[in-house]
Amino acid sequence: MISLECLAALDYMIWLRTGQRAAAALACAQPTVSRNSRKCLEVFGLELARKRSEWRLIGDTELINLERRVHQKTRWERNLKLRLEAQHWSAPGLDALDLPDWQRGNFNQLDYEQPVALLGDRVIDAWICSEPDAPVRPGLSALPLTTMPMNLMVPIGHPLAEYRGAIPWEELLPYPVLPLPHGAFPVFEGVLERCSLLPCPEREQAMRQAPWWGKRTVEEMLIGYSSPLTLHAYGPGWVRLEQQLPVQVGDVLMVHQEFSAHPRTLMLRAQLLDHLTVLAADHPDVVIHRNVTQPITNSTSAN
């Protein structure tokens, strides 16, 4: 067994990415985080290494994950502060939400690999992610919060800005598109591919042959996409097209299955739903899943 403080130091370092953030979250000095992290690594015979800006444990993690399971159960049962992470686009306004029982993460996850690993290894206790790529994994529960459409976005002055109604997908080929990390969101990426909205050699050729090429910047001709709750991220220089992607998106609360009906999960979900209801007040196309308590299954995760 290792103390809660020692394992927390290592896990906070991995989760929050820096010793400085870990020390602030744990209300201790940064040397204390480093000392406790090293002790934890020595006890379990592990090493810590960076991979694509994220910390990874090198070695056999079976014992440390068993210890994490015990410590996580202690957090839930003894009313200790729990750990919450969120995707970058799932966290609008969450900083203003009072969640005294939860330690907030960086709230800037841009793919699913790291937060899925953190949740699966019990480094974090809950994670707010997005459909249609909410992972369906054994032992994890996905509790839906919202469902909403995804519209195309273009800068003001874009040739498509005044377009009304549906636009044939092939007419979008001569314009650059907002990049997406390859493989990070396979379901959503598949939708973009079917709609000819991924970077590709054909798009590059069509752009170079377009009337705007050489006269306008790529940024002025960009095509993006946004849900109703992330429109503000684009700022006043962008407009939302009537064109919608053939997919429903939304926020999902992920927890371990054993805690899906825990009073602390239910309270967090209620707080998030209240917050999202306020954010969606001016957006009638956002559905709030207040009465849905069943986890998402394979049949509903890729709509």
Side-chain angles (χ1 to χ4, degrees):
M1 296 287 287
I2 195 165
S3 70
L4 293 173
E5 292 76 16
C6 277
L7 184 53
L10 177 61
D11 282 348
Y12 269 64
M13 174 90 110
I14 293 170
W15 171 29
L16 301 180
R17 301 191 183 103
T18 70
Q20 183 178 8
R21 291 195 195 108
L26 293 168
C28 67
Q30 192 168 339
T32 302
V33 171
S34 298
R35 183 174 60 253
N36 285 340
S37 295
R38 286 196 302 270
K39 180 179 178 181
C40 195
L41 291 170
E42 290 172 2
V43 167
F44 292 105
L46 300 169
E47 296 180 2
L48 199 59
R50 281 276 195 181
K51 181 181 178 182
R52 296 200 300 271
S53 300
E54 303 286 0
W55 289 110
R56 297 285 193 273
L57 289 176
I58 307 300
D60 187 347
T61 59
E62 182 178 2
L63 287 180
I64 194 173
N65 284 341
L66 288 173
E67 191 76 9
R68 284 166 165 169
R69 180 184 290 269
V70 174
H71 286 212
Q72 183 182 58
K73 189 172 183 180
T74 300
R75 291 196 297 274
W76 284 88
E77 291 185 349
R78 295 188 183 176
N79 252 5
L80 301 178
K81 186 166 284 193
L82 298 173
R83 305 166 186 176
L84 177 66
E85 189 54 90
Q87 297 305 117
H88 172 70
W89 49 85
S90 296
L94 283 182
D95 286 340
L97 185 59
D98 186 22
L99 297 173
D101 293 336
W102 292 84
Q103 174 66 55
R104 303 164 191 266
N106 293 319
F107 283 9
N108 63 357
Q109 297 289 345
L110 294 176
D111 60 33
Y112 280 15
E113 180 182 357
Q114 180 70 352
V116 167
L118 292 173
L119 186 63
D121 291 342
R122 300 174 186 267
V123 173
I124 62 175
D125 301 298
W127 167 43
I128 304 170
C129 64
S130 302
E131 280 280 60
D133 279 287
V136 178
R137 302 284 177 87
L140 299 182
S141 290
L143 302 172
L145 300 171
T146 58
T147 299
M148 64 196 84
M150 182 72 87
N151 284 81
L152 295 185
M153 304 286 296
V154 295
I156 292 174
H158 194 285
L160 300 175
E162 303 301 323
Y163 211 109
R164 295 293 176 265
I167 306 172
W169 297 113
E170 60 270 15
E171 290 191 18
L172 305 181
L173 198 59
Y175 303 103
V177 292
L178 193 68
L180 186 73
H182 178 64
F185 314 101
V187 178
F188 187 69
E189 188 175 359
V191 173
L192 294 180
E193 184 176 16
R194 292 193 296 274
C195 297
S196 300
L197 283 171
L198 289 179
C200 60
E202 292 78 13
R203 165 160 269 107
E204 184 69 24
Q205 181 179 1
M207 287 167 48
R208 292 180 178 277
Q209 295 174 348
W212 64 267
W213 186 260
K215 302 174 183 177
R216 308 280 291 275
T217 66
V218 168
E219 290 73 18
E220 290 177 297
M221 295 293 102
L222 194 63
I223 297 175
Y225 31 83
S226 173
S227 74
L229 298 187
T230 56
L231 290 171
H232 69 281
Y234 281 87
W238 287 70
V239 294
R240 179 169 61 165
L241 301 181
E242 294 181 9
Q243 187 93 343
Q244 294 182 355
L245 291 173
V247 64
Q248 291 287 295
V249 300
D251 300 301
V252 178
L253 177 63
M254 300 285 302
V255 295
H256 276 271
Q257 191 171 10
E258 63 197 275
F259 303 116
S260 62
H262 194 284
R264 300 182 75 181
T265 299
L266 300 180
M267 180 177 293
L268 173 63
R269 186 170 184 274
Q271 290 173 300
L272 292 172
L273 288 171
D274 288 344
H275 172 70
L276 289 163
T277 298
V278 173
L279 292 180
D282 297 326
H283 303 287
D285 47 359
V286 177
V287 177
I288 306 293
H289 294 297
R290 193 169 291 277
N291 298 320
V292 177
T293 57
Q294 291 301 312
I296 295 171
T297 65
N298 280 301
S299 62
T300 60
S301 65
N303 289 342

